[in-house]
Amino acid sequence: MNNTNGKIDIRSLSLSTLQEHFIRMDEKSFRAKQVYEWLWKKSCFSFNEMSNISKELRTKLDDNFVINNVKINSSQVSADKTIKNSFILHDNHLIEGVLIPTPGRMTACVSSQVGCSLTCKFCATGYMERKRNLNPDEIYDQVVLIDKQARENYGQPLSNIVYMGMGEPLLNYANMMKSIDRITSEDGLNMAAKRITVSTAGIAKMIKKLGDDDVKFNLALSLHAANDEKRNTIMPINEQNSLKALAEALKYYYAKTKNPVTYEYIIFDGVNDNIQDAMELAKFCKHLPCKVNIIEYNPIAFASYINAGEDKVEAFAAYLTKQGINTHLRRSRGKDIDAACGQLAIKEKDKLAEV
């Protein structure tokens, strides 16, 4: 990928392609490996910081290549210590990512697209336009920056990553997969794949592709109704990816990977909160080993949905548990700074703060 100034985005190159560039520049190919290590293992954002590279080569790199690194535009800290970040990209688009500290765990919630092309009615990002997909390095950079934040603010490294920020990861499949490769590789951040969860609104053919690719990370499906009519209303993507199609794809995925699936279920007041809904969900859960995360809803200005009452939520969860389904109630974090699930949206509308 070339920039308008003619320089090549160095992190868009594989190691072998970078080595070819080095040979054309009359440089030893092992130098490319050193630079590659600086870029991915040491998360270096500047050629000048590559201390075991000669000054002459650093100048050559600066003349021919660019590192389009992500920067923090602004950060907000919640009362519960959650940190929401607005990140600025090289082309001045903004995305959001969140550090979620909980006892025994530091989780980064990262974005995969600028905006989102899906129109889930309860989600703030769904009311935004999708501008473009994120590159693998832009997803990777969010992890690097949030990890640094975790260490500096709470004295702990990241333990988990969730692809639950802005965008639909399976509609940016190749770049999402490349970012996970860089995050999990020994010559990258060397994080365990089992510590990563990719959340999808449900694209059946791409769920099958995850199975074909025998992925090692975790898969979560944003479900919210196990009834096509209701799910069509809440999540219009269901009209092209019915529950039957999703069940088929998930069974295929499980047969290939043996990875259980997590279903995310927000209980909306008067929408999907009665025992009939719980019965339908329990039936859907019988397709393959799974667990259900019941998530507290975080109201947004664009939508009229509200969270179901505590008694209904507890009755819903109790029914699932009685059916032998592994069920967890998840309390939202970062609500006071619009950092909770479904609340990520760029309020600046790409009008940048001073950086």
Side-chain angles (χ1 to χ4, degrees):
M1 183 190 297
N2 282 19
N3 271 14
T4 50
N5 58 11
K7 293 184 182 183
I8 298 166
D9 173 7
I10 194 167
R11 291 189 299 176
S12 70
L13 306 177
S14 66
L15 176 56
S16 58
T17 307
L18 187 59
Q19 286 170 331
E20 289 168 14
H21 278 281
F22 270 55
I23 291 163
R24 283 199 291 273
M25 292 191 303
D26 294 324
E27 296 287 345
K28 304 284 187 192
S29 66
F30 80 87
R31 291 290 180 201
K33 197 167 183 183
Q34 288 179 312
V35 171
Y36 199 77
E37 186 174 283
W38 276 106
L39 293 171
W40 295 113
K41 198 166 186 175
K42 299 179 183 176
S43 310
C44 183
F45 292 161
S46 166
F47 297 123
N48 284 332
E49 291 170 17
M50 298 179 179
S51 54
N52 62 346
I53 305 293
S54 71
K55 191 173 178 183
E56 182 189 358
L57 177 51
R58 278 181 268 161
T59 301
K60 272 190 194 178
L61 290 172
D62 210 31
D63 289 342
N64 290 280
F65 301 101
V66 66
I67 302 172
N68 286 327
N69 61 293
V70 172
K71 301 181 181 80
I72 293 178
N73 181 53
S74 62
S75 299
Q76 290 173 276
V77 184
S78 165
D80 63 22
K81 298 188 176 178
T82 297
I83 303 177
K84 181 173 80 165
N85 300 288
S86 161
F87 294 115
I88 182 169
L89 309 181
H90 69 93
D91 55 3
N92 286 344
H93 284 308
L94 295 173
I95 56 170
E96 292 186 339
V98 184
L99 170 62
I100 308 162
T102 53
R105 175 178 292 210
M106 284 280 161
T107 302
C109 175
V110 298
S111 293
S112 55
Q113 296 179 310
V114 182
C116 188
S117 59
L118 305 185
T119 54
C120 300
K121 300 306 178 189
F122 58 89
C123 177
T125 314
Y127 290 83
M128 296 176 66
E129 178 188 347
R130 187 194 75 84
K131 301 289 179 65
R132 68 171 175 85
N133 288 334
L134 293 184
N135 298 326
D137 51 287
E138 292 172 325
I139 301 171
Y140 163 96
D141 282 357
Q142 293 174 70
V143 174
V144 169
L145 293 169
I146 295 173
D147 177 58
K148 186 181 177 191
Q149 217 165 44
R151 292 170 191 268
E152 289 177 351
N153 288 275
Y154 304 120
Q156 293 177 51
L158 278 184
S159 60
N160 296 77
I161 302 166
V162 293
Y163 283 60
M164 293 184 188
M166 298 167 65
E168 167 53 62
L170 298 193
L171 291 180
N172 187 17
Y173 191 91
N175 289 346
M176 178 269 292
M177 292 290 282
K178 283 178 190 169
S179 73
I180 291 175
D181 176 65
R182 292 292 82 219
I183 290 164
T184 57
S185 292
E186 282 185 22
D187 61 356
L189 299 181
N190 201 24
M191 288 189 74
K194 282 294 174 192
R195 297 285 188 170
I196 299 173
T197 299
V198 171
S199 176
T200 178
I203 296 132
K205 69 177 183 180
M206 302 314 290
I207 291 171
K208 285 184 175 178
K209 184 159 173 54
L210 289 172
D212 287 333
D213 288 338
D214 194 21
V215 298
K216 306 302 180 194
F217 53 79
N218 303 301
L219 177 65
L221 174 64
S222 191
L223 191 60
H224 314 311
N227 169 304
D228 277 317
E229 192 179 343
K230 286 189 178 184
R231 197 167 188 267
N232 287 349
T233 304
I234 300 168
M235 304 177 74
I237 190 174
N238 194 71
E239 292 169 13
Q240 292 83 40
N241 294 267
S242 69
L243 290 165
K244 184 182 175 184
L246 288 176
E248 221 173 80
L250 290 163
K251 282 189 273 191
Y252 181 90
Y253 165 84
Y254 179 74
K256 292 280 191 176
T257 67
K258 297 296 182 247
N259 290 341
V261 173
T262 298
Y263 298 128
E264 298 158 342
Y265 195 101
I266 297 172
I267 303 182
F268 303 108
D269 184 54
V271 176
N272 60 352
D273 59 353
N274 60 43
I275 293 302
Q276 177 63 31
D277 294 305
M279 289 169 66
E280 290 169 348
L281 177 56
K283 187 179 175 185
F284 192 82
C285 286
K286 301 301 181 189
H287 291 301
L288 69 153
C290 66
K291 69 175 180 181
V292 173
N293 282 343
I294 293 175
I295 303 168
E296 184 182 354
Y297 182 55
N298 309 295
I300 58 170
F302 316 103
S304 57
Y305 294 110
I306 59 171
N307 210 24
E310 196 73 25
D311 53 341
K312 280 194 171 181
V313 172
E314 287 178 4
F316 195 103
Y319 177 85
L320 294 177
T321 302
K322 277 180 192 170
Q323 299 301 307
I325 295 161
N326 186 357
T327 305
H328 300 272
L329 283 171
R330 297 281 188 221
R331 302 297 176 196
S332 288
R333 298 179 62 83
K335 285 198 291 187
D336 55 322
I337 55 168
D338 291 338
C341 210
Q343 290 186 316
L344 297 189
I346 297 297
K347 291 184 175 173
E348 293 104 318
K349 297 289 184 192
D350 276 14
K351 182 182 176 184
L352 303 180
E354 290 294 322
V355 289

